[in-house]
């Protein structure tokens, strides 16, 4: 097969395996950038990167692979345009919030607040990035812990910790005063 045939084959395979995950890619980019227009830019860049690297893709599941590229593209975009410091934003030590209070929350109250999608959206926006991205990947995109670990490039234990912490912070946000 000549070089052009290989590219055509890669393109068809890319379209079949990766394009179905465009909504998930956009969703992650939107939660990272907090802006629809910026999310579109990030997704476009991520898909270009993914297509260029697709010849080396040997996995079965393209979704975690693509979302890792979207995440990295998002951080690159944020760093270039907003001076974003991913290392500081994603650091897990010295977490001095009071998520321990989440054990005292009334589950019925949390559930009733969660019925308002706009309120949940605002609450999720308030959760720090390292927890928000884990929550988005698990609760909105329904990735497994292993897939999240792949996307975030962290051990599964860290995924579990971030999800527990993120859920507690989300619950605190949801039970706070209604804006």
């Amino acid at each position: 097969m000549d070089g052009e045939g290989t590219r055509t084959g890669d393109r068809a395979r890319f379209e079949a395996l990766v394009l179905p995950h465009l909504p998930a890619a956009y969703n992650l980019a939107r939660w990272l950038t907090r802006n629809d227009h910026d999310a579109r830019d990030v997704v476009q860049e991520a898909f270009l990167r993914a297509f260029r690297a697709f010849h080396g893709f040997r996995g079965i599941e393209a979704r975690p692979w693509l979302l890792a590229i979207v995440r990295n593209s998002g951080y690159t975009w944020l760093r270039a345009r907003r001076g974003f410091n991913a290392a500081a934003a994603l650091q897990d030590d010295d977490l001095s919030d009071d998520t321990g209070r989440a054990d005292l929350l009334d589950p019925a109250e949390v559930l009733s607040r969660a019925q308002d999608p706009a309120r949940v959206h605002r609450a999720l926006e308030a959760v720090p990035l390292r927890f928000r991205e884990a929550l988005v990947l698990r609760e909105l995109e329904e990735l497994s812990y292993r897939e999240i670990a792949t996307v975030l490039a962290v051990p599964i234990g860290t995924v579990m910790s971030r999800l527990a912490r993120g859920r507690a912070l989300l619950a605190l946000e949801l039970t706070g005063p209604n804006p």
Side-chain angles (χ1 to χ4, degrees):
M1 186 178 281
D2 66 11
E4 186 60 38
T6 301
R7 274 186 244 136
T8 303
D10 277 350
R11 181 177 177 181
R13 187 168 169 253
F14 180 84
E15 289 174 358
L17 292 175
V18 179
L19 282 184
H21 305 297
L22 179 61
Y26 173 78
N27 193 35
L28 178 59
R30 171 63 185 85
W31 283 105
L32 291 174
T33 64
R34 298 179 173 183
N35 178 291
D36 292 325
H37 179 73
D38 297 343
R40 286 191 294 269
D41 289 348
V42 167
V43 169
Q44 182 176 7
E45 177 61 29
F47 267 77
L48 286 171
R49 287 181 183 185
F51 186 71
R52 286 185 201 122
F54 192 68
H55 67 279
F57 175 69
R58 301 287 180 254
I60 305 167
E61 184 58 50
R63 189 174 182 191
W65 176 80
L66 174 65
L67 293 179
I69 294 170
V70 170
R71 179 179 187 253
N72 292 334
S73 296
Y75 288 158
T76 299
W77 189 95
L78 287 167
R79 194 171 26 259
R81 286 162 186 80
R82 298 185 191 163
F84 177 74
N85 182 346
L90 299 173
Q91 190 172 12
D92 277 327
D93 57 351
D94 191 33
L95 300 173
S96 57
D97 54 50
D98 60 353
T99 55
R101 280 189 352 156
D103 293 338
L104 305 174
L105 296 176
D106 175 18
E109 182 180 355
V110 173
L111 184 59
S112 71
R113 300 280 178 109
Q115 298 303 315
D116 176 7
R119 181 154 173 89
V120 173
H121 182 87
R122 286 189 305 273
L124 192 52
E125 286 279 344
V127 172
L129 179 61
R130 65 185 166 275
F131 307 118
R132 185 174 63 242
E133 68 183 1
L135 286 170
V136 166
L137 292 170
R138 179 66 183 162
E139 306 302 341
L140 301 180
E141 295 305 325
E142 300 178 345
L143 268 64
S144 70
Y145 286 14
R146 178 171 286 138
E147 290 170 325
I148 296 168
T150 298
V151 172
L152 302 183
V154 298
I156 289 177
T158 301
V159 169
M160 293 167 62
S161 174
R162 287 184 184 177
L163 284 169
R165 193 102 185 193
R167 288 173 180 141
L169 289 168
L170 185 60
L172 285 172
E173 288 293 329
L174 286 169
T175 56
N178 238 339

